[in-house]
Amino acid sequence: MENQPYNQAIVRSFVNWSIVWGLVAVLVGVIVSLQMVEPDLNFPPYFTFGRLRPVHTNAGIYGWGVGMIFATFLYMVQRLCKVPLWSDKLAKFQLWFFNATIIASAVTLLLGYTTSKEYHEMEWPIDVMVVILWVVFSINIIMTILKRKDEQMYISLWYMLAAIIAVAILYIVNAAAVPVSLFKSYSAYAGTNDANVQWWFGHNAVAMVLTAPFLAMFYYFLPKSTGVPIYSHRMSIIAFWSLIFMYLWTGAHHLLWTPVPDWIQTLAMGFSIMLIAPSWGSVFNGYLSMNGQWHQMRENYLVKFLILGITFYGLQTLQGPMQAIRSFSAFIHYTDWVPAHIHMGTMGWVSMIAFASIYYLVPRIYGRELYSIPLANLHFWLILVGQLIWSISLWIAGVLQAGMWNAMNPDGSLTYTFMETMVEMYPYWWARSFGGMIYMTGLIVFIYNLWMTAKKGGSIAAQTTVETTTVEGRA
Amino acid sequence: MDLASIVYLGVTFGMFVIFALIVIRTYSRKRKDEGEIAKYQMLDDD
């Protein structure tokens, strides 16, 4: 274990709870995917696709994603600043308030209370809880950074600060609403303004919840796992600032071909294309950091997760800008291509980095060696194969769907009815469910490995042992 | 374009100028060592 009086217990609790919510997200995801191929699996009123789908997305983003952000930020900030957490009590309050918020969200969504704003479905009382939670978290992180010992801030701290500030702004602005009862409110915005604010929030939730914090983790856990520094800190700083300047203008690419002003759509499209540069700045920095270290891809399971994670980030940030181009968007928007894109990000990029972070943390927070490295490798291959089956099947489905929707007879009438296009989707939707089940199997292997680590993992007597063997994950 | 659109684009341009200044500062020769020190410090034993 470590010599500094760092708060390990809070990190352990957040890791455990985020895994619980991650399992809920994946399990509900598999269920809703089966509901699409077997409509009889819908049990109204509470367990229908319409109510379970936001439970899946919110458990994934806020339970698993934000839970991991809390766990890793609280871990990283203490070490990067070389000081203990500003307030342990605040962190403990944050843990229980986090779980209360997630439970309240799931219950109200199942009861049918929703704002209908994607990724922001929770009604206003839960918005208030989210804001309290984030303010508490922000105060603790910022105060800890302010009392840091090193003047120069490592790149992960920049990404952490950006995420903290941006999420606060995004969430509060999009949550602006007029409550009319305890669980019903109406948006403060109307018409296209409402849509524009919603997708400014929606896309930047991707940026500031599912990108910036996970880049902070990547930049921290890659060098810690390989034992060599990142290729260029200055390059990471430039990639950071360009990402920050560009990302916040791209939301309107979700609204191409809508009544939103044309110039806003063009601006969003332009910024989306430019975003390739900062995104790949981080990807190249990651790859170049591996110079002379590529053998660790075979020897160190942590590196496998991290490098595959950043590779999926690279693919995601090429595919995303392509989808933001008007002509391509006209073809694939509203098809199954889009969820395939999103799931490459969540199941590939985000979760690969989260799993690597947990594997790195576990020996430290439990004081035990990982129970089984072969099981960690099995976990890696199951989630990789599951995610690829999921995404590739729906990319094919999306192109097929778009082709059928656009097919026209010589007289200008549509070649296919909507129902005919739906029937064609069934094999791909089954493949998606199958991919999801493989992914969930990987998750269960992961949880079993951690459970056994906590119960039976070999005790780590000294930090040096951790550093040289288990923590670096030598296979 | 109305006034709101011009302000929107003006802010965008202003941010580009700030970004250019950050690039110039980060890659100035004087700050080369200072700019890379954090990546070594983070590898210190916890």
Side-chain angles (χ1 to χ4, degrees), chain A residues 326-474:
Chain A
R326 271 199 183 88
S327 51
F328 191 51
S329 176
F331 186 67
I332 53 91
H333 203 189
Y334 308 115
T335 72
D336 281 346
W337 175 286
V338 178
H341 168 69
I342 292 164
H343 282 77
M344 176 167 68
T346 52
M347 297 162 84
W349 153 239
V350 168
S351 293
M352 284 273 188
I353 300 298
F355 290 134
S357 306
I358 293 173
Y359 279 129
Y360 179 89
L361 292 175
V362 156
R364 288 173 163 78
I365 59 181
Y366 282 104
R368 292 174 185 277
E369 292 178 15
L370 188 71
Y371 174 68
S372 168
I373 290 176
L375 280 181
N377 282 316
L378 176 65
H379 167 220
F380 171 83
W381 287 109
L382 285 170
I383 61 165
L384 178 63
V385 170
Q387 187 256 306
L388 288 175
I389 291 174
W390 205 114
S391 288
I392 291 170
S393 61
L394 282 208
W395 282 324
I396 297 168
V399 172
L400 178 64
Q401 208 171 21
M404 291 180 80
W405 287 352
N406 284 285
M408 282 191 178
N409 297 316
D411 65 356
S413 61
L414 292 173
T415 306
Y416 302 101
T417 65
F418 185 70
M419 285 308 294
E420 285 173 319
T421 68
M422 292 282 280
V423 170
E424 289 297 320
M425 292 298 103
Y426 270 66
Y428 304 99
W429 287 350
W430 276 115
R432 169 185 39 197
S433 297
F434 180 61
M437 285 175 201
I438 293 175
Y439 194 92
M440 192 166 69
T441 306
L443 187 56
I444 291 166
V445 169
F446 166 69
I447 293 170
Y448 173 76
N449 204 1
L450 296 193
W451 177 266
M452 293 304 285
T453 301
K455 293 289 171 196
K456 294 186 178 175
S459 177
I460 295 172
Q463 174 67 8
T464 48
T465 314
V466 182
E467 289 294 345
T468 53
T469 57
T470 313
V471 169
E472 289 183 6
R474 308 290 179 190

Side-chain angles (χ1 to χ4, degrees), chain A residues 23-54:
Chain A
L23 182 63
V24 170
V26 174
L27 179 64
V28 177
V30 170
I31 292 170
V32 293
S33 77
L34 289 170
Q35 285 178 327
M36 292 194 76
V37 282
E38 286 292 341
D40 290 342
L41 291 173
N42 284 270
F43 299 102
Y46 306 115
F47 300 105
T48 54
F49 180 87
R51 292 194 186 184
L52 282 174
R53 193 264 182 182

Side-chain angles (χ1 to χ4, degrees), chain A residues 152 224 231 233 249 263 267, chain B residues 8 12 15 35-36 39 42:
Chain A
Q152 288 292 322
K224 284 287 189 181
Y231 170 71
H233 193 256
W249 309 80
W263 68 269
L267 201 67
Chain B
Y8 195 102
T12 309
M15 291 177 82
E36 296 293 344
K39 75 178 185 186
M42 70 84 64

Side-chain angles (χ1 to χ4, degrees), chain A residues 91-402:
Chain A
K92 199 166 187 179
F93 168 77
Q94 182 196 336
L95 172 71
W96 295 110
F97 205 68
F98 162 71
N99 284 312
T101 307
I102 299 295
I103 292 167
S105 302
V107 170
T108 52
L109 288 170
L110 288 177
L111 290 173
Y113 298 112
T114 173
T115 62
S116 78
K117 290 184 170 187
E118 196 170 16
Y119 311 132
H120 200 150
E121 288 90 349
M122 287 82 81
E123 269 294 354
W124 69 271
I126 307 207
D127 280 343
V128 174
M129 292 176 78
V130 171
V131 170
I132 293 170
L133 181 65
W134 200 260
V135 168
V136 164
F137 170 59
S138 304
I139 289 171
N140 219 353
I141 295 290
I142 291 169
M143 292 306 288
T144 307
I145 291 174
L146 285 177
K147 60 174 189 164
R148 71 186 184 278
K149 287 187 178 165
D150 293 330
E151 189 192 349
Q152 288 292 322
M153 294 204 314
Y154 184 59
I155 183 62
S156 297
L157 289 173
W158 286 100
Y159 276 109
M160 287 157 70
L161 280 174
I164 282 171
I165 295 165
V167 167
I169 296 168
L170 291 161
Y171 202 87
I172 289 172
V173 172
N174 196 46
V178 181
V180 291
S181 69
L182 183 58
F183 285 112
K184 184 62 201 165
S185 63
Y186 290 99
S187 175
Y189 316 101
T192 52
N193 283 341
D194 193 31
N196 206 15
V197 172
Q198 157 61 21
W199 282 109
W200 169 77
F201 163 83
H203 194 74
N204 288 298
V206 175
M208 294 301 156
V209 177
L210 302 177
T211 300
F214 289 86
L215 282 171
M217 292 176 211
F218 175 76
Y219 278 120
Y220 182 85
F221 291 109
L222 182 71
K224 284 287 189 181
S225 301
T226 58
V228 293
I230 57 165
Y231 170 71
S232 169
H233 193 256
R234 291 187 299 165
M235 184 168 145
S236 71
I237 293 287
I238 297 302
F240 165 80
W241 280 111
S242 45
L243 186 114
I244 297 304
F245 278 122
M246 289 175 196
Y247 230 127
L248 294 172
W249 309 80
T250 59
H253 70 215
H254 286 257
L255 299 164
L256 299 178
W257 305 102
T258 69
V260 167
D262 213 41
W263 68 269
I264 293 181
Q265 296 180 32
T266 304
L267 201 67
M269 189 172 75
F271 273 91
S272 301
I273 301 294
M274 289 192 292
L275 257 183
I276 294 172
S279 306
W280 273 81
S282 292
V283 176
F284 280 126
N285 216 342
Y287 287 161
L288 291 170
S289 303
M290 292 295 292
N291 274 345
Q293 301 296 323
W294 285 105
H295 60 93
Q296 293 203 39
M297 282 289 281
R298 288 191 308 273
E299 301 160 359
N300 185 339
Y301 69 95
L302 286 175
V303 174
K304 242 176 352 199
F305 278 94
L306 289 162
I307 293 299
L308 257 291
I310 201 71
T311 300
F312 280 124
Y313 175 65
L315 294 173
Q316 187 77 356
T317 52
L318 275 181
Q319 195 182 50
M322 296 305 111
Q323 291 170 205
I325 296 171
R326 271 199 183 88
S327 51
F328 191 51
S329 176
F331 186 67
I332 53 91
H333 203 189
Y334 308 115
T335 72
D336 281 346
W337 175 286
V338 178
H341 168 69
I342 292 164
H343 282 77
M344 176 167 68
T346 52
M347 297 162 84
W349 153 239
V350 168
S351 293
M352 284 273 188
I353 300 298
F355 290 134
S357 306
I358 293 173
Y359 279 129
Y360 179 89
L361 292 175
V362 156
R364 288 173 163 78
I365 59 181
Y366 282 104
R368 292 174 185 277
E369 292 178 15
L370 188 71
Y371 174 68
S372 168
I373 290 176
L375 280 181
N377 282 316
L378 176 65
H379 167 220
F380 171 83
W381 287 109
L382 285 170
I383 61 165
L384 178 63
V385 170
Q387 187 256 306
L388 288 175
I389 291 174
W390 205 114
S391 288
I392 291 170
S393 61
L394 282 208
W395 282 324
I396 297 168
V399 172
L400 178 64
Q401 208 171 21

Side-chain angles (χ1 to χ4, degrees), chain B residues 2-4 6 10 12-14 16-17 19 23 26 28 30-31 34 37 40-42:
Chain B
D2 58 11
L3 183 62
I6 293 166
T12 309
F13 180 73
F16 265 118
V17 171
F19 175 66
V23 173
T26 304
S28 85
K30 283 182 197 168
R31 298 177 184 276
E34 191 186 327
I37 196 167
Y40 300 108
Q41 285 175 342
M42 70 84 64

